[in-house]
Amino acid sequence: MPRILAIETSCDETAAAVVVDGKTMLSNIIASQAAKHAQYGGVFPEVASRMHVEIIYQVVQQALSDAHLGLGDIDAVAVTRGPGLPGSLVVGLNMAKGLALGRNLPLIGINHLEGHVYSLWLAAERGAPEVRFPVVCLIVSGGHTELILMTDHNRYQRLGGTLDDAAGEAFDKVARLLSLPYPGGPSIEQAAQGGNPAAFRFPRAWLEGTFDFSFSGLKTAVLYEVKKQKPGMPMGPDSPPLDLTAVPDMAASFQTAIIDVLVSKTVAAAQAYQATEIFVAGGVSANQALKAEFDRRAACPVRVPPLILCTDNAAMMGAAANFRFLAGQRDALDMDVLPNWRLV
Ligand code: KG4
Ligand code: ZN
């Protein structure tokens, strides 16, 4: 049963974890920089890299000590190689290389999106039956919206994806328009709870005959509505807060529109490819209204990770690395980051 130390620094979380057998987390340390970036209204890449450098050593130490293991007990070091912010990825990769070189351990570079998919393996209950393929995976994060058919471990076919903004990015941008704090997803979800989802009929881009998505029109529709409510209002992180009665309705109407498209397309893909299950992963999968809509409309079981594994973490990278380790993947010490690495 391989014991893998995994490191993840693709964006604004410095994370390390120890995972056994691709399923069991012995530790899962996440140092989030979100509070720091909130003052900029989004991730400030240079600040993110510096903060990773400051804390990475401590985070890795903590992951080992929480697991009650030393480096001598570890079978491989896994690390996120991309996609992500180049300056952030480099910090995790160099830490992993140092550990691999110093202790003569195998080094395994993992795609961040594959990590999100494997967060579902960590979430499986002990003794639960093995996953039967094919599975349709919706990966919805701040940087990505991808609909993937998974036909076996580490084997993927891309069915579609966003043509413009990622789903999480749309949440973040609309939150800014509504003067809600970063990260926008949780802010919108919270604001939407007090709103009427039918108050505004925001557009849905169906892109018929494809499994692609487009959210920029939806974002623009919210912008026009905000301008209608507050003519002449300057837009940006320092703008005055919107009329408090309109914000919950707009948040709820926006959230309903984006969820409608995400769920419809994923359910259609699962039917078209006779998937045994639907996996939803990535930061946006933390959204409870999204989960509820999937449960309401899907004909097959839908799995969503527990909240702590929805957003970026290293345990999911360790789970993905387990199957690659068993398949014999070993990466060289001159491996470089791949900031635009596609899963398929
Ligand atoms: O996977 P993740 O932590 O980082 C990336 O790989 O991008 O995803 C972060 C994204 C952000 O855009 C954030 O606004 C969104 O996930 N998010 C949510 C929720 N929690 C986080 N979106 C909708 N509802 C949420 N509850
Ligand atoms: Zn992510």
Side-chain angles (χ1 to χ4, degrees), residues 139-210:
I139 308 172
V140 266
S141 71
H144 301 274
T145 296
E146 298 274 301
L147 202 48
I148 303 277
L149 184 70
M150 188 175 186
T151 52
D152 202 343
H153 280 297
N154 310 122
R155 294 185 74 89
Y156 311 96
Q157 187 184 325
R158 187 177 189 270
L159 304 179
T162 184
L163 304 180
D164 39 57
D165 293 343
E169 189 181 358
F171 270 94
D172 293 336
K173 286 179 175 171
V174 167
R176 277 180 83 140
L177 292 175
L178 301 182
S179 312
L180 296 170
Y182 172 86
S187 305
I188 290 202
E189 180 168 15
Q190 205 185 357
Q193 277 164 11
N196 171 9
F200 300 94
R201 179 74 200 168
F202 289 133
R204 282 100 163 126
W206 291 114
L207 307 175
E208 295 292 347
T210 75

Side-chain angles (χ1 to χ4, degrees), residues 242-258:
L242 272 183
D243 174 357
L244 284 178
T245 54
V247 169
D249 284 352
M250 281 197 200
S253 303
F254 160 78
Q255 183 173 265
T256 302
I258 196 163

Side-chain angles (χ1 to χ4, degrees), residues 10-13 112 116 140-144 167-169 171-172 182-186 189 255 282-288 310-312:
S10 67
C11 190
D12 63 342
E13 266 93 25
H112 180 78
H116 275 302
V140 266
S141 71
H144 301 274
E169 189 181 358
F171 270 94
D172 293 336
Y182 172 86
E189 180 168 15
Q255 183 173 265
V284 180
S285 67
N287 189 290
Q288 295 302 304
C310 289
T311 45
D312 289 347

Side-chain angles (χ1 to χ4, degrees), residues 25 28-30 119 286 305-316:
M25 281 184 285
N28 187 27
I29 307 298
I30 306 167
S119 62
L307 280 184
I308 188 71
L309 297 175
C310 289
T311 45
D312 289 347
N313 64 87
M316 66 185 192

